[in-house]
């Protein structure tokens, strides 16, 4: 219901949400709550036109610089180093394949993209415009300075502030800059008070089982052969603190990482390799349970603001007992 208000222009009839599916556990996952909630606002003609489903034109605005880690043969998000998180990619893809969104990606780091986005907005090409990025980063700046001011009144906007910082006050109005958006998606539940002032703040977090995260295949954790003493999962970024594995006991340790932040990621991987710790990238969600079950212990070393809660949910969904999960923060 929340996203039917946020995503749909006034002239579109709202459709009844699809019935729940048994066995689906914690369906949202950062952007997967975007998927689930947005889908409730998808317009579907009823009665005589029940077989025809209307496509929803939408834009996804972000900023990222491609590098050697990109996948030229992949889809728009696979070609970007900061978007290798397969769960987020899968959520955006499901918006298109299952929830009838015609989603256009706009990477503001590319030279001609801002002008193309402005032209598309001026032509009223979208019903919903979603951005991802922290406050005062390029995506948020472009949205507030240009897109929101020039869009048609019926077009709705949203932001996923990929950070734990509270929204600052607008320099002109003195009000929270989050109020410039029709909807705000936040991932950590403890951020709820931060967005209590916003009329439509949606908690978007969890794991999507069984469609993108397969927790039912393979043997149970207690019966699986243990190949690793420790596994640490997350972006190859300083705030994930993967290098803490160096001081952990055991001879076989693994880091499953994604994304690449130039010098910072290079230093992390170099430290891990020097200590004899394996590093794997781009492990599909459907295979992650095999990794968790092959590890004696799961290490979540992220700082308090560095995320990592989803790793715990994934490990628990795969049957890892709570006493086999070590949390540093």
């Amino acid at each position: 219901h929340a996203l039917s208000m946020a995503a749909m222009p006034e002239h579109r009839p709202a459709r009844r949400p699809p019935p729940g599916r048994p066995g689906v556990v914690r369906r949202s996952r950062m952007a997967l709550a975007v998927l689930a909630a947005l889908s409730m606002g998808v317009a579907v003609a009823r009665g005589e036109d029940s077989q025809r489903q209307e496509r929803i034109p939408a834009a996804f605005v972000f900023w990222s610089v491609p590098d050697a880690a990109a996948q030229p043969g992949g889809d728009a998000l696979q070609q970007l180093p900061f978007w290798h998180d397969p769960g987020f990619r899968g959520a955006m893809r499901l918006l298109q394949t299952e929830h009838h969104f015609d989603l256009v990606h706009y990477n503001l780091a590319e030279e001609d993209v801002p002008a193309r986005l402005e032209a598309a907005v001026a032509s009223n090409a979208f019903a919903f415009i979603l951005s991802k990025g922290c406050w005062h980063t390029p995506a948020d700046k472009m949205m507030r300075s240009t897109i929101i001011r020039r869009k048609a009144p019926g077009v709705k906007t949203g932001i996923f502030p990929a950070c734990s910082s509270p929204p600052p006050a607008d320099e002109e109005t003195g009000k929270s800059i989050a109020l410039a958006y029709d909807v705000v998606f936040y991932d950590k539940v403890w951020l709820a008070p931060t967005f209590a002032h916003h009329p439509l703040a949606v908690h978007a977090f969890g794991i999507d089982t069984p469609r993108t995260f397969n927790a039912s295949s393979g043997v149970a954790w207690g019966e699986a052969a243990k190949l690793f003493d420790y596994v640490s999962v997350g972006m190859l970024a300083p705030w994930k603190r993967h290098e803490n594995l160096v001081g952990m006991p055991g001879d076989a340790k693994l880091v499953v990482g994604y994304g690449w932040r130039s010098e910072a990621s290079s230093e992390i991987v170099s430290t891990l390799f020097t200590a004899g710790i394996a590093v794997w990238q781009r492990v599909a969600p459907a295979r992650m349970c095999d990794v968790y079950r092959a590890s004696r212990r799961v290490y979540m070393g992220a700082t308090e603001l560095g995320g990592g809660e989803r790793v715990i949910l994934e490990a628990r969904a795969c049957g890892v007992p709570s006493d086999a999960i070590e949390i540093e923060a």
Side-chain angles (χ1 to χ4, degrees):
H1 173 69
L3 261 294
S4 68
M5 295 165 56
M8 298 307 302
E10 287 79 2
H11 67 273
R12 294 179 182 273
R15 82 166 168 95
R16 186 177 306 160
R21 299 179 183 176
V24 176
V25 180
R26 298 187 180 101
R27 294 197 61 215
S28 59
R29 172 193 184 115
M30 283 176 34
L32 273 171
V34 177
L35 174 147
L38 280 174
S39 67
M40 292 189 180
V42 173
V44 177
R46 293 294 181 182
E48 296 179 355
D49 297 325
S50 61
Q51 300 301 315
R52 179 175 60 83
Q53 293 184 331
E54 184 180 356
R55 302 293 298 180
I56 307 300
F60 175 48
V61 181
F62 58 101
W63 190 94
S64 186
V65 179
D67 68 359
Q71 303 177 47
D75 62 26
L77 292 179
Q78 286 176 311
Q79 297 175 31
L80 302 167
F82 292 3
W83 301 96
H84 287 166
D85 179 349
F88 186 87
R89 239 182 16 241
M92 303 303 282
R93 190 174 295 113
L94 286 174
L95 280 177
Q96 300 174 81
T97 59
E98 294 194 13
H99 297 276
H100 317 293
F101 275 74
D102 287 330
L103 195 63
V104 182
H105 301 115
Y106 289 93
N107 177 17
L108 300 180
E110 298 179 10
E111 185 175 354
D112 63 332
V113 167
R116 288 198 287 110
L117 174 59
E118 288 187 45
V121 171
S123 65
N124 200 22
F126 307 114
F128 185 70
I129 305 173
L130 172 67
S131 59
K132 189 173 191 290
C134 197
W135 314 110
H136 288 306
T137 57
D140 171 55
K141 286 182 177 180
M142 178 77 175
M143 289 291 292
R144 289 187 295 110
S145 67
T146 305
I147 303 305
I148 292 177
R149 297 186 181 193
R150 298 183 182 179
K151 68 176 183 62
V155 177
K156 304 301 182 181
T157 61
I159 186 171
F160 179 82
C163 62
S164 299
S165 304
D170 184 88
E171 296 84 351
E172 298 178 3
T173 66
K175 297 180 180 180
S176 166
I177 61 177
L179 294 173
Y181 297 90
D182 294 295
V183 59
V184 173
F185 302 99
Y186 62 94
D187 54 353
K188 302 170 183 65
V189 68
W190 50 266
L191 285 174
T194 300
F195 298 106
H197 66 286
H198 197 285
L200 190 54
V202 179
H203 181 223
F205 187 77
I207 56 175
D208 182 55
T209 58
R211 291 183 300 173
T212 62
F213 191 84
N214 186 2
S216 60
S217 65
V219 298
W221 179 84
E223 301 172 1
K226 297 297 183 281
L227 306 179
F228 305 102
D229 296 302
Y230 277 92
V231 62
S232 178
V233 179
M235 176 181 279
L236 296 169
W239 53 84
K240 295 298 185 182
R241 300 194 290 197
H242 296 299
E243 59 273 21
N244 286 1
L245 284 184
V246 174
M248 297 294 184
D251 299 322
K253 305 168 193 175
L254 170 67
V255 169
V256 177
Y258 61 88
W260 197 261
R261 302 185 67 85
S262 189
E263 293 184 8
S265 296
S266 297
E267 292 178 5
I268 293 170
V269 172
S270 177
T271 299
L272 296 172
F273 280 172
T274 301
I277 298 174
V279 178
W280 292 354
Q281 293 193 69
R282 305 190 190 108
V283 178
R287 299 303 305 275
M288 279 305 299
C289 273
D290 295 334
V291 175
Y292 287 122
R293 291 167 181 160
S295 306
R296 292 181 177 85
R297 303 191 71 77
V298 174
Y299 177 70
M300 202 284 280
T303 66
E304 288 87 345
L305 300 180
E309 297 93 337
R310 192 173 65 221
V311 173
I312 300 172
L313 292 184
E314 290 181 352
R316 294 292 287 135
C318 296
V320 179
S322 57
D323 58 4
I325 302 174
E326 294 187 23
I327 301 172
E328 185 71 25

